[in-house]
Amino acid sequence: MERLDKVLSNSGYGSRKDVKKLVKSGKIEVDGIKVKNSDVQVDIEKNKILVNGEQIVYKKYVYYLMNKPDGVVSATFDNYDKTVIDLLSEFDASFAPFPVGRLDKDTVGLLILTNDGELNHRLISPKWHVDKVYYAEIDKAVEEDDIAAFKQGIELDDGYKCKPAVLEIIESDNNGAKVKVTIQEGKFHQVKRMFIARGKKVVYLKRVKFGKISLGEDLAEGEYRELSEAELEILKQV
Ligand code: URA
């Protein structure tokens, strides 16, 4: 059971404040009875809810794919910085989504946001081995022995030994390198710390793939869209 105003808000009829007005105006019917009280509890599976005579389409879960920009934190609230939630429209934010895992403030790229706690749990659990692919720019040349060290498992500054990771060199010379890194874990600053362990610095980091979902070219930094049904099916297959 959920409050009528929440259900209406989650069905595209505006903020809680907007829907309260709508309910008061007498335009809502629940099982054929006019309802003027927003606090009323409804069962979206059983009750037939009409707005102006039209049956509502209720969404419980939302799944967004965002191209996270630089300078924004992967959190639902922050005292100082703009969060990824601040980039959502009021309606999309009304579902109370949260980021699946975290990207650093200066990392850009693919971030999934959802209010589906169960899927979130599976996607971030190390048990499910979800591949995360990053494009990175490094301040120094990257060599074959770095690839071998990543494959072996890098030891981080706190003594943690990372699981084997795949490092691929796109280009590399004495001025620096462009690489692709695939990891299955999500330790704090993991990719940056893996390179620090090799005496190198990540100067640009972008996540391009999460599980089987790719960022693609359609979203500019700061933009987001809902996952398609097909993408959601793929994501749920982890
Ligand atoms: N590794 C990092 O160092 N930072 C990120 O944001 C993600 C992976």
Side-chain angles (χ1 to χ4, degrees):
M1 300 289 276
E2 283 176 279
R3 284 173 58 108
L4 179 62
D5 54 358
K6 178 164 180 245
V7 168
L8 290 173
S9 182
N10 285 2
S11 307
Y13 292 97
S15 67
R16 287 277 186 105
K17 216 168 129 194
D18 297 334
V19 302
K20 275 202 168 80
K21 265 196 225 151
L22 190 68
V23 177
K24 269 217 177 102
S25 72
K27 293 193 173 121
I28 316 298
E29 266 181 36
V30 178
D31 294 340
I33 297 164
K34 207 173 263 184
V35 173
K36 286 195 166 187
N37 178 2
S38 296
D39 308 342
V40 96
Q41 296 279 323
V42 291
D43 182 337
I44 45 133
E45 307 284 340
K46 295 200 184 115
N47 297 131
K48 192 170 172 195
I49 305 167
L50 307 184
V51 177
N52 284 326
E54 230 175 69
Q55 190 155 357
I56 65 164
V57 182
Y58 180 79
K59 265 198 299 190
K60 185 165 184 185
Y61 292 127
V62 290
Y63 305 89
Y64 307 132
L65 171 67
M66 179 180 283
N67 185 357
K68 179 195 166 298
D70 183 15
V72 170
V73 294
S74 308
T76 51
F77 174 78
D78 193 275
N79 271 325
Y80 304 101
D81 291 311
K82 200 166 173 174
T83 72
V84 287
I85 304 300
D86 296 329
L87 300 176
L88 304 178
S89 72
E90 194 184 341
F91 175 62
D92 291 336
S94 73
F95 293 90
F98 48 83
V100 175
R102 276 169 184 256
L103 290 178
D104 297 336
K105 187 173 160 185
D106 62 354
T107 300
V108 300
L110 196 164
L111 185 69
I112 290 174
L113 297 118
T114 184
N115 54 356
D116 181 344
E118 200 183 307
L119 183 66
N120 170 60
H121 186 73
R122 277 204 290 148
L123 291 173
I124 60 175
S125 160
K127 206 172 82 189
W128 294 87
H129 307 294
V130 178
D131 276 348
K132 287 129 206 154
V133 183
Y134 294 87
Y135 164 79
E137 293 178 4
I138 314 297
D139 68 337
K140 297 193 181 81
V142 172
E143 323 271 359
E144 288 299 317
D145 56 349
D146 295 314
I147 296 179
F150 271 55
K151 194 170 170 190
Q152 186 75 26
I154 297 275
E155 189 173 320
L156 299 180
D157 44 8
D158 58 2
Y160 176 79
K161 184 155 187 272
C162 297
K163 302 257 158 17
V166 180
L167 172 60
E168 293 160 77
I169 301 171
I170 299 167
E171 58 182 64
S172 175
D173 60 31
N174 287 338
N175 297 320
K178 294 180 177 166
V179 300
K180 202 169 114 181
V181 184
T182 305
I183 58 174
Q184 292 184 333
E185 303 165 285
K187 301 278 170 221
F188 187 58
H189 297 328
Q190 182 160 344
V191 174
K192 292 174 187 163
R193 287 161 73 205
M194 286 166 84
F195 277 100
I196 286 173
R198 301 292 304 162
K200 296 166 196 196
K201 194 167 174 245
V202 172
V203 292
Y204 177 82
L205 190 60
K206 176 178 188 172
R207 183 154 67 191
V208 294
K209 208 166 170 199
F210 186 99
K212 294 191 181 90
I213 306 291
S214 293
L215 179 61
E217 305 286 328
D218 58 332
L219 294 173
E221 281 183 16
E223 288 185 344
Y224 68 98
R225 61 172 172 82
E226 278 199 69
L227 283 182
S228 67
E229 287 292 326
E231 285 171 323
L232 187 56
E233 280 313 304
I234 291 173
L235 193 66
K236 286 184 169 172
Q237 276 164 19
V238 292

